[in-house]
Amino acid sequence: MEDNSQNNKTTSYKVVDFSNDTNKGKNSFSKTVLVPFFSGILGTSLVIGTCFGVPRSS
């Protein structure tokens, strides 16, 4: 294996700093509360409807 200190290639990588994220506190109430709530209701009704709607084999 080669040691990185002996590698003389130049790279064009840049350090990206995300510490000053301006969109951190912009979550709206509908995205954080209402969408998961209604998705849960829809999923629950779909499961219950499937359980009662599928005919049983005798």
Side-chain angles (χ1 to χ4, degrees):
M1 296 192 118
E2 295 181 18
D3 189 13
N4 286 338
S5 62
Q6 295 174 355
N7 195 357
N8 293 329
K9 295 179 184 176
T10 58
T11 60
S12 61
Y13 295 117
K14 295 181 183 179
V15 177
V16 179
D17 186 20
F18 288 109
S19 63
N20 294 333
D21 192 11
T22 57
N23 293 332
K24 205 171 206 179
K26 300 239 177 186
N27 290 335
S28 65
F29 180 75
S30 64
K31 281 186 180 180
T32 58
V33 177
L34 293 180
V35 171
F37 180 73
F38 286 119
S39 296
I41 290 175
L42 180 66
T44 303
S45 62
L46 182 68
V47 168
I48 291 174
T50 303
C51 289
F52 288 115
V54 175
R56 297 182 196 165
S57 61
S58 298

